[in-house]
Amino acid sequence: MAGAGTDVRVGLDEDGMVLVAPDPHPGTDTDAGAGFGSGFGSGGGRPGERVAAPEFAQAVLDVAGAVLVRPVLGAPGPPVAEIHDPVRAQQWLWALYGERVAAAVHAVRAGSAPYGPAGGHGGSPGAGARGAVAGNGIHDADAPGKRAPGVRVPAESSALAGAAARLGLAHWAARWWPASYGDGVAVLEPGLLALESAALTHHCQQLFDDGGDQPDDCAAELIGAHPGALGPLLQWWRAEPRTTDTARHLDGVLRLIVDAADCAGLDGTELRELRSALERGHDQGRTGAPADLGALFARRSGYALAAGAPAPSGGRVIARGYGTNDWCRYPPGLVDASEEAVSWTARAVGARRLVEIEAVAHVAAPVTGVPLVAEIAVNGGGPLRVPLARRDDLWTGRAEVDLGSGPSGAGPAPPHVRVGVLLPGFDPGAGPAASAGRAAVRALARRRLAAAALPVEDGVRGGAAGAVRSGALDGVAAPFLAEILAATAGGEDH
């Protein structure tokens, strides 16, 4: 969330889109030719692509007239706003960044930008004010090809900025949370995360309008898709001592869900029970015993055996190794997020040479009906796609390949095998190496789960030193309810 004294820069990209981004050189007049916003790249010109961080390390939120992008790693700060419709965006710009930034966006788009010379601090008019934000993908409107630093404007702190950051992080968690049994990163209960996302969406309604182009304005859809999670959530609220931080968190989420459902005209048994319980009050219907969260939100544990999966081929092992587990190449909930989840073994079976692939399945992965494939390339050759099938907790497949000609059947040296896993029709193609980024995201998930597991002392999770009090809906620091569940419920599922 933007804090006091945080500067942003406002300018135009080559296509006339208005950009707002944190100032890479706060407190200086350094030219932005070194880059518009530290860590922001030119991307491909489409909304959401300017952050140089990998896609899985960005929290992206589609709002009225714009896309908001925040890196999930590193210190919190204002988002990058890629504004394709400044008129529509004015309804939230002033509340998210402050009135000066909203006025700067209007002025830059109009070509006047009365906020001082490019690179100067907002507040005083200057002759260079028309220079747009340059750096990566931004240009000077008066000098094509010249990099100009644009308008620097102080942003303000706001409750909407914190709530929007939290909503973006919730959407990120639904898509990119690195659940892994081997790495000890627990699965987030999808229904619980979806309901909190619905509450946050309703809390952030100022960000959205009725333009019909904002898929993240989906509170009603999320509530309607997860009615079965409402009952356990209500039971958790009833069992939680009223004065705890978690009780306040639960109360805020439930009341926002009811309000969102009322606004959307939703009804149903679960919603009617929730409305009635909130009207009666927290102490009515209390069980007097702590909630067994693992039992309330019980998931099917273990793996079902899928018929028809290939058995090991036998033969002589020529080589083995790990493939690339690129999270961007398949939807969430299919493959364990571990860096070593994808492995391969090259075998000699008589005169045949086989490569077998195994990928550890996500605990929630369906047993059938998913056309997941492995992509194999041997010794620099073209890729071969191999269908994968479920066998217990693995996706498995094998293919006969040419590993080279030599006494060992593998050429003079072991074969060079590259393996990835993807879902056809979803896969955007192999991306750049990003193992360090994936490791950083796993570390983030572990830190968040560790914080969520801290004991509640005097009504505050982690005691006074780690207090995140009633602002659970207005920032990214407080754990999501799904994180609290994952960290404290125990059990085998990850």
Side-chain angles (χ1 to χ4, degrees), residues 8-14 16-22 36 40-42 46-48 50 67 79-84 97 101 104-105 108-109 132-134 136-139 151:
V8 297
R9 289 186 182 271
V10 183
L12 299 173
D13 72 0
E14 294 175 352
M17 181 183 293
V18 180
L19 300 183
V20 180
F36 173 60
F40 295 95
S42 59
R46 291 180 297 170
R50 298 191 188 281
V67 175
V80 173
E82 301 187 334
I83 304 171
H84 55 83
Y97 293 101
V101 175
V105 168
V108 166
R109 190 67 187 91
V133 178
N136 298 328
I138 316 303
H139 75 294
V151 179

Side-chain angles (χ1 to χ4, degrees), residues 67-86:
V67 175
L68 302 179
V69 185
R70 284 181 175 85
V72 300
L73 303 172
V80 173
E82 301 187 334
I83 304 171
H84 55 83
D85 190 332

